[in-house]
């Protein structure tokens, strides 16, 4: 018995000595299985300093049954505040001593709350040597509504959103001026400090007179104002839209790889609106093969967007939830194909449409020109690659020579492949022998129809394919007759540039003009682009062969020997 007493005395003496190593802090975070964010030490529940109570920190909210402790710094496990004994059961209204723990010098004991409920947690650090914890049932707050008035909201009464029994939120743009808040029955919310800026936040009280309210000195920004009626605090944050949202999930071609999620770019007209255009389908090789959700970054956190109910068909969804439960949207396996999904973060609305059926390939990694009218003929390994747009993966462009080539079968025709092989992916015209200059629509797979180059329209073409809406646009840049012996084909134009080959480069002489010149090999790859006045060069150490030089004044084919 004497030995046990000595042991207890040693522990108390150690804890008292250790208490001097950890000074008072204004920042304290609650983590644990009982808290909303669990044991994620980067997302601990921040306790705030109680109004008029120096050294006391409080938090009010819902706890589950389970254990918890306190840390000082997000993302770390120590220093911490622990219970004095293992699984210290917390009774409401009872004050419990805590022990400071710098780096596991004492046992990492936790407090345990026995049942789920809404509680007020108070940590008292005013006596640095004797920190304490008290938990009580949260006090009842009976407020039906809160309305914002003042010049910052154009004097119009704007209803705040009731998030729970204790908090009301306003989110939106504010003008320069004053904002004040009214309760039912003629009561007002008044800042404790006079002439306070909305960004300074602070405590409030209830008054029968409207008072001065809060000043908005930085107008035309989007704000989020949170009125907490348990702690009598106004919290202010400014809200800016993310540059893009990202779609991830089993229904996408990238699966559940957050770092490769598909971008939903912001609208050029409204930075709060984001749109996805692409393929969603039943991908049996993925987990949850018809599901997806939306992220605000190329990572799982901190922000994600979800449907109101789990596995909601995206075509039926009109709104969404930020964070919350990890619900996902889903698609009907009978509607696999190209979707347009639009998210409006400002108004928290969304819409989706099923545009067309999936027929074998979404945005191909490569497209290739092949056919009797091309320099590749019908030899698949020689198919000419199209150039993929760096900013829009659905766009591919070919610039090259299309003409009647009598040495080839079907000497005026061509089609487009998704690989240097006949399958599985190919693009075709809607009808056989369709004039490429008047064609607008592409067919994926289907009948083996080909486009045709008109007899009086042979020359250098630019052809752009959009895989998102399955459209094609072709333009004839100019006419000409090939003269391999001279090494140059000059196409008709009012002012042709002079193009010559010189020591592994192409020399462009535009006279007294400023032009943009693009150097393209006969596989359709852009090698160099220069905008300059007078005489300048394109390319460097080019291998011998034929090249195309397209300028704003003329188009040429040149042989570099």
């Amino acid at each position: 018995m004497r030995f046990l007493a000595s042991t207890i005395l040693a522990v108390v003496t150690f804890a008292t000595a250790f208490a001097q190593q950890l000074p008072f802090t204004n920042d304290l975070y609650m983590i644990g299985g009982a808290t909303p964010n669990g044991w994620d030490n980067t997302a601990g529940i921040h306790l705030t300093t109680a109004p008029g109570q120096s050294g006391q920190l409080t938090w009010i909210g819902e706890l589950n049954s389970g254990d918890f402790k306190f840390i000082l710094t997000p993302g770390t496990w120590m220093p911490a505040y622990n219970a004095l004994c293992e699984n210290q059961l917390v009774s409401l209204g009872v004050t419990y001593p805590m022990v400071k723990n710098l780096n596991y010098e004492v046992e990492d004991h936790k407090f345990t709350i026995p049942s789920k409920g809404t509680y007020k947690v108070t940590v008292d650090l005013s006596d640095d040597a004797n920190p304490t914890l008290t938990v009580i049932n949260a006090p009842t707050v009976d407020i039906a509504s809160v309305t914002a008035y003042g010049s910052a909201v154009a004097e119009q009464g704007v209803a705040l959103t009731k998030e729970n029994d204790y908090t009301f939120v306003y989110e939106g743009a504010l003008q320069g001026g004053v904002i004040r808040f009214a309760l039912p029955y003629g009561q007002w919310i008044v800042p404790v400090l006079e002439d306070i800026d909305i960004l300074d936040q602070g405590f409030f009280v209830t008054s029968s007179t409207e008072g001065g309210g809060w000043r908005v000195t930085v107008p035309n920004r989007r704000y989020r104002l949170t009125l907490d009626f348990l702690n009598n605090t106004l919290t202010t944050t400014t809200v800016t839209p993310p540059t893009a949202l990202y779609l991830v999930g089993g229904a996408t071609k990238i699966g559940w790889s957050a770092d490769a999620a598909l971008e939903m770019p912001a609208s050029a007209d409204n930075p709060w609106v984001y749109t996805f255009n692409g393929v969603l389908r039943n991908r049996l090789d993925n987990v949850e093969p018809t599901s997806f959700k939306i992220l605000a970054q190329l990572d799982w956190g901190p922000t994600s967007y979800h449907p109101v109910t789990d596995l909601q068909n995206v075509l039926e969804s009109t709104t969404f939830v930020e964070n919350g439960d990890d619900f996902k949207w889903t698609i009907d396996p009978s509607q696999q194909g190209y979707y347009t999904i639009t998210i409006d973060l400002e108004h928290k609305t969304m819409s989706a449409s099923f545009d067309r059926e999936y027929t074998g390939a979404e945005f191909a990694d490569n497209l290739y020109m092949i056919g009797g009218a091309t320099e590749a003929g019908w030899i698949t390994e020689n198919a000419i690659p199209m150039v993929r747009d760096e900013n829009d993966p659905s766009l591919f462009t070919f610039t090259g020579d299309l003409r009647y080539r009598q040495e080839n079968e079907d000497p005026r025709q061509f089609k487009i492949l998704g690989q240097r092989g006949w399958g599985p992916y190919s693009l075709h015209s809607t009808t056989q022998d369709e004039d490429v200059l008047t064609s607008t629509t592409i067919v994926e797979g289907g009948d083996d129809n080909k486009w045709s180059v008109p007899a009086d329209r042979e020359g250098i073409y630019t052809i752009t394919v959009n895989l998102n809406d399955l459209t094609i646009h072709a333009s004839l840049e100019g006419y000409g007759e090939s003269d391999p012996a001279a090494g140059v084909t000059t196409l008709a134009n009012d002012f042709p540039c002079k193009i010559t080959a010189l020591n592994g480069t192409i020399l462009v002489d535009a006279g007294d003009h400023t032009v943009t010149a693009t150097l393209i090999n006969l596989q359709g790859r852009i090698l160099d682009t220069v905008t300059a006045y007078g005489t300048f060069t394109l390319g460097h150490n080019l291998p011998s062969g034929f090249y195309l030089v397209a300028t704003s004044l003329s188009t040429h084919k040149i042989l570099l020997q």
Side-chain angles (χ1 to χ4, degrees):
M1 192 69 175
R2 290 176 57 191
F3 175 77
L4 178 60
S6 299
T7 304
I8 294 174
L9 177 61
V11 171
V12 173
T13 302
F14 178 82
T16 303
F18 173 68
Q20 307 306 315
Q21 303 177 38
L22 197 59
F24 166 72
T25 177
N26 284 314
D27 287 307
L28 199 63
Y29 301 85
M30 182 166 56
I31 62 172
T35 71
N37 296 332
W39 286 104
D40 183 354
N41 65 6
T42 66
I45 304 301
H46 188 209
L47 279 71
T48 58
T49 303
Q53 300 292 324
S54 177
Q56 286 193 4
L57 300 101
T58 64
W59 175 79
I60 298 174
E62 188 173 272
L63 293 176
N64 299 309
S65 61
D67 56 356
F68 64 93
K69 68 174 185 176
F70 301 91
I71 58 174
L72 276 72
T73 305
T76 63
W77 295 109
M78 293 288 166
Y81 283 90
N82 293 102
L84 286 180
C85 61
E86 186 176 3
N87 298 324
Q88 173 64 68
L89 187 64
V90 174
S91 297
L92 300 182
V94 176
T95 297
Y96 294 89
M98 298 196 302
V99 60
K100 299 177 181 180
N101 196 351
L102 181 64
N103 190 21
Y104 299 103
E105 282 85 354
V106 297
E107 292 294 331
D108 190 27
H109 294 322
K110 284 80 171 181
F111 296 96
T112 299
I113 198 82
S115 59
K116 182 176 181 179
T118 302
Y119 301 101
K120 180 175 183 179
V121 178
T122 301
V123 172
D124 190 343
L125 303 178
S126 58
D127 182 354
D128 183 61
N130 298 288
T132 61
L133 166 71
T134 307
V135 178
I136 62 173
N137 280 319
T140 301
V141 175
D142 186 16
I143 296 176
S145 63
V146 180
T147 307
Y149 292 94
S151 54
V153 290
E155 304 297 345
Q156 301 179 24
V158 179
L160 274 67
T161 300
K162 187 173 184 177
E163 284 204 332
N164 54 50
D165 291 340
Y166 314 105
T167 57
F168 289 78
V169 173
Y170 169 87
E171 185 171 318
L174 294 178
Q175 304 174 25
V178 174
I179 187 170
R180 53 181 64 90
F181 304 98
L183 298 172
Y185 315 114
Q187 294 293 303
W188 293 85
I189 301 300
V190 179
V192 171
L193 300 177
E194 295 182 0
D195 197 33
I196 187 172
D197 193 286
I198 192 70
L199 291 173
D200 291 333
Q201 309 177 74
F203 297 102
F204 62 77
V205 295
T206 303
S207 172
S208 58
T209 58
E210 65 180 58
W214 285 264
R215 291 181 296 107
V216 179
T217 56
V218 184
N220 303 320
R221 296 175 68 178
R222 188 174 179 83
Y223 291 86
R224 181 180 175 88
L225 311 178
T226 302
L227 292 172
D228 179 346
F229 285 93
L230 284 177
N231 291 302
N232 282 4
T233 58
L234 169 65
T235 304
T236 304
T237 57
T238 56
V239 183
T240 56
T243 56
L245 299 183
Y246 303 90
L247 196 141
V248 64
T252 73
K253 66 179 181 180
I254 52 89
W256 294 103
S257 301
D259 58 350
L262 304 178
E263 182 175 349
M264 299 179 66
S267 167
D269 300 324
N270 187 340
W272 293 93
V273 175
Y274 305 82
T275 301
F276 166 80
N277 295 109
V279 172
L280 298 175
R281 61 186 182 89
N282 184 13
R283 301 174 190 270
L284 297 177
D285 52 336
N286 291 336
V287 176
E288 299 178 283
T290 63
S291 299
F292 69 91
K293 62 182 177 180
I294 296 171
L295 308 173
Q297 62 288 308
L298 288 171
D299 203 342
W300 298 118
T303 305
S304 57
Y305 303 99
H306 308 266
V308 175
T309 59
D310 199 18
L311 300 180
Q312 185 175 34
N313 189 314
V314 65
L315 296 177
E316 301 171 357
S317 191
T318 59
T319 188
F320 57 89
V321 176
E322 181 176 326
N323 296 329
D325 294 325
D326 191 26
F327 292 159
K328 285 97 172 178
W329 284 282
T330 188
I331 63 165
D332 187 330
S334 68
Q335 291 181 301
Q336 300 185 67
Y338 291 83
Y339 283 77
T340 297
I341 301 172
T342 300
I343 292 280
D344 185 334
L345 287 186
E346 182 175 19
H347 300 101
K348 290 184 170 55
T349 60
M350 70 175 293
S351 62
S353 63
F354 176 68
D355 300 329
R356 56 188 169 84
E357 187 179 355
Y358 170 80
T359 55
E362 50 215 271
F363 297 162
D365 292 328
N366 299 288
L367 290 182
Y368 300 88
M369 294 281 293
I370 193 169
T374 74
E375 294 186 336
W378 294 103
I379 303 174
T380 56
E381 57 263 33
N382 293 337
I384 302 169
M386 302 180 76
V387 178
R388 191 175 196 174
D389 191 285
E390 293 182 355
N391 298 316
D392 186 345
S394 68
L395 294 180
F396 291 80
T397 300
F398 162 83
T399 299
D401 193 7
L402 297 178
R403 63 180 61 255
Y404 179 88
R405 301 179 190 272
Q406 63 180 1
E407 69 274 17
N408 294 332
E409 185 180 352
D410 299 323
R412 292 195 181 280
Q413 295 180 338
F414 71 91
K415 61 181 179 180
I416 300 172
L417 304 175
Q419 60 288 312
R420 280 197 167 110
W422 298 119
Y425 187 59
S426 59
L427 302 175
H428 306 266
S429 54
T430 55
T431 59
Q432 186 66 279
D433 247 359
E434 190 168 316
D435 186 339
V436 66
L437 288 171
T438 59
S439 183
T440 59
T441 303
I442 291 171
V443 176
E444 290 178 313
D447 294 332
D448 192 25
N449 294 333
K450 289 102 172 173
W451 286 278
S452 181
V453 178
D456 58 347
R457 295 290 190 272
E458 298 178 350
I460 305 300
Y461 278 77
T462 295
I463 297 175
T464 300
V465 166
N466 187 330
L467 288 184
N468 184 47
D469 58 12
L470 287 186
T471 58
I472 184 170
H473 174 76
S475 60
L476 178 62
E477 305 296 342
Y479 310 101
E481 292 183 359
S482 180
D483 185 1
V488 176
T489 298
T490 300
L491 305 178
N493 198 289
D494 293 339
F495 186 87
C497 293
K498 182 180 179 183
I499 310 293
T500 56
L502 179 66
N503 298 328
T505 64
I506 305 297
L507 184 67
V508 179
D509 182 0
D512 58 353
H513 293 262
T514 297
V515 301
T516 297
T518 300
L519 177 65
I520 308 165
N521 64 18
L522 291 188
Q523 286 72 46
R525 181 183 176 189
I526 297 176
L527 304 178
D528 194 12
T529 299
V530 175
T531 300
Y533 174 84
T535 302
F536 54 92
T537 61
L538 287 172
H540 179 67
N541 289 334
L542 297 170
S544 60
F546 281 101
Y547 295 87
L548 300 176
V549 179
T551 77
S552 50
L553 298 175
S554 57
T555 303
H556 305 261
K557 180 178 177 183
I558 185 166
L559 173 64
L560 182 63
Q561 295 178 329

